[in-house]
Amino acid sequence: MYPALSTGVLAELRRPRPYPAVSLLMPTHRREPDNAQDAVRLRNLLARAEKQLQDDPGVTRERRADVLGQLERAVAEVDLVHAEDGLVIYVAPGEHQVWTVARAVPERVVVADTFLTRNLVAARSAERPYWALAVAADRISLWDGGPERAAEHTADGFPLTRSLEDPDAERKERVGDLPSTFRDEDTRTFFREAHEALKAVLAAEPRPLYVIGEAPAVSLLEETGSLPQDTVTLHQGGLGRGPEEAVRKAVAPLLAAHEEAATAGLLAELDSARGRREYAGGLDEVHQAAKEGRIRLLAVEEHYRTVVRDYGDHLEPADASDLDSREDIVDEIVEQALEKGAEVRFVPDDSLADANRIAAVLRF
């Protein structure tokens, strides 16, 4: 199981490391026969990293041994059988991390005093993560989801569980004092605890929220406290314990409808910005606006990638084999925009055909 990306995790990854901090990036494949080449490419990439460290006069023998040991441990954790579209490995003295992402990354080895995070940042933005809360009288679980996955969140107090057995139920039933499950004060207390835990998670990691459960359970949660304005509810029980695939399938049509509406709204906002002359379209214009910190809202087609050469005042198409080419310029723009406080939205391919696949609403 690879760790989950979050705003806090990305901030931690950006902090400076003791030299050398090594970033290994490699495109991977989900299916046969393409994935047969991944193990060979990873070995070649590992050899490149080892050679760079051996040839670097700024790396002491002790540091080199430490980092190469971390690199071996990291590679041992890689699971190419369950690969996504990209593999990212970070190693530095005393630490190593392995990430798999659902977005292609360029093949690179970078040795510096920070990790190369732009591809991880873009992958997280493209993933469009959501929270799904499955509510029932005896178990309330939170699911960390995306278009192709949903993993149970087992931190921040989740899941909440309790027993529904009441040792005094028989006497209460005799005297007519046995309330229904969702009018029982213990149940209300249980849901209040869940609501407080949910508020803390949403404050730290705001995302679209889907609430799933039988109608009485969903209603009680709504009575317990306010939920985000765009929360979507689904009356379907039995998902408190998952499994992952069932939660993902339940949310999928809601997610698709949400994305369709959001894309339509985004395109309307871009049209409006064009009329106000607060618009940038195409890679050159958007790249310049990102460098200047002028982007308020960035829109990128999901699978847009291009290789360029940067001449400072403009970008030119290039071949990936060119020594000074930049394969991840789109991911770099995404990271720059986010660091300056912009909102970044990925949209289906061909949605931005008239803007050469990338566009922005400007602050000024």
Side-chain angles (χ1 to χ4, degrees):
M1 176 64 70
Y2 294 101
L5 280 171
S6 68
T7 302
V9 167
L10 287 170
E12 164 62 18
L13 288 173
R14 285 195 184 99
R15 71 172 175 80
R17 258 70 181 179
Y19 189 84
V22 183
S23 304
L24 281 75
L25 289 79
M26 188 184 90
T28 51
H29 303 83
R30 297 172 183 252
R31 297 175 182 85
E32 298 178 341
D34 294 331
N35 61 5
Q37 64 184 283
D38 290 347
V40 175
R41 294 181 71 175
L42 180 57
R43 285 197 298 271
N44 292 339
L45 200 64
L46 179 61
R48 280 173 53 190
E50 291 177 349
K51 186 175 189 310
Q52 282 189 230
L53 291 171
Q54 294 287 355
D55 294 344
D56 190 335
V59 181
T60 65
R61 180 182 300 176
E62 293 77 12
R63 280 282 175 90
R64 184 182 303 115
D66 183 347
V67 172
L68 289 176
Q70 295 292 339
L71 192 54
E72 287 181 9
R73 285 190 280 275
V75 172
E77 295 175 10
V78 173
D79 180 8
L80 292 176
V81 174
H82 300 97
E84 293 185 278
D85 300 307
L87 174 68
V88 180
I89 297 175
Y90 296 135
V91 296
E95 69 171 314
H96 67 273
Q97 300 190 41
V98 179
W99 301 87
T100 179
V101 294
R103 181 173 169 82
V105 300
E107 186 172 297
R108 297 186 70 179
V109 176
V110 178
V111 180
D113 57 4
T114 58
F115 293 140
L116 182 68
T117 60
R118 67 179 61 142
N119 308 103
L120 215 57
V121 169
R124 179 175 179 268
S125 298
E127 188 180 40
R128 303 185 303 281
Y130 64 82
W131 295 116
L133 188 75
V135 292
D138 61 343
R139 193 175 200 273
I140 299 178
S141 59
L142 186 64
W143 297 79
D144 175 356
E148 299 183 11
R149 59 157 189 87
E152 185 169 5
H153 183 74
T154 55
D156 305 306
F158 289 99
L160 288 84
T161 62
R162 70 176 188 132
S163 172
L164 293 182
E165 293 182 8
D166 184 346
D168 204 25
E170 187 176 338
R171 184 194 65 79
K172 291 179 179 178
E173 189 171 18
R174 265 199 324 272
V175 300
D177 193 30
L178 184 64
S180 70
T181 302
F182 292 101
R183 287 191 288 111
D184 178 72
E185 187 55 37
D186 287 343
T187 304
R188 292 180 178 275
T189 299
F190 182 59
F191 271 59
R192 280 195 291 270
E193 292 172 356
H195 187 268
E196 288 301 312
L198 177 65
K199 277 185 7 183
V201 170
L202 291 175
E205 196 69 31
R207 301 180 185 177
L209 174 65
Y210 300 91
V211 177
I212 309 169
E214 294 180 350
V218 173
S219 295
L220 178 55
L221 183 72
E222 292 173 330
E223 292 172 13
T224 301
S226 61
L227 297 172
Q229 188 172 3
D230 57 352
T231 297
V232 179
T233 61
L234 174 65
H235 293 165
Q236 179 178 334
L239 294 178
R241 300 182 185 278
E244 171 186 339
E245 183 67 10
V247 173
R248 190 186 66 78
K249 285 185 176 180
V251 173
L254 306 178
L255 189 63
H258 177 270
E259 289 300 323
E260 185 177 347
T263 298
L266 175 62
L267 295 177
E269 189 165 358
L270 289 170
D271 282 341
S272 177
R274 187 184 279 113
R276 300 191 307 270
R277 297 187 178 181
E278 296 173 357
Y279 171 88
L283 194 64
D284 242 343
E285 286 187 15
V286 173
H287 178 243
Q288 187 63 36
K291 288 198 299 184
E292 296 169 356
R294 298 171 56 212
I295 295 178
R296 179 174 65 80
L297 172 62
L298 175 66
V300 187
E301 289 188 3
E302 287 178 352
H303 297 104
Y304 180 39
R305 306 197 70 81
T306 188
V307 181
V308 300
R309 187 180 291 109
D310 187 355
Y311 288 98
D313 59 345
H314 72 285
L315 304 173
E316 288 284 347
D319 189 88
S321 61
D322 294 347
L323 291 178
D324 57 351
S325 66
R326 295 166 69 175
E327 297 180 65
D328 54 357
I329 188 67
V330 176
D331 288 359
E332 182 178 328
I333 290 170
V334 169
E335 184 175 50
Q336 286 178 331
L338 288 169
E339 286 182 345
K340 298 295 185 179
E343 179 185 356
V344 176
R345 299 268 297 280
F346 284 80
V347 297
D349 292 346
D350 299 325
S351 299
L352 302 171
D354 63 340
N356 293 319
R357 306 183 70 182
I358 187 168
V361 177
L362 306 180
R363 293 191 176 99
F364 55 90

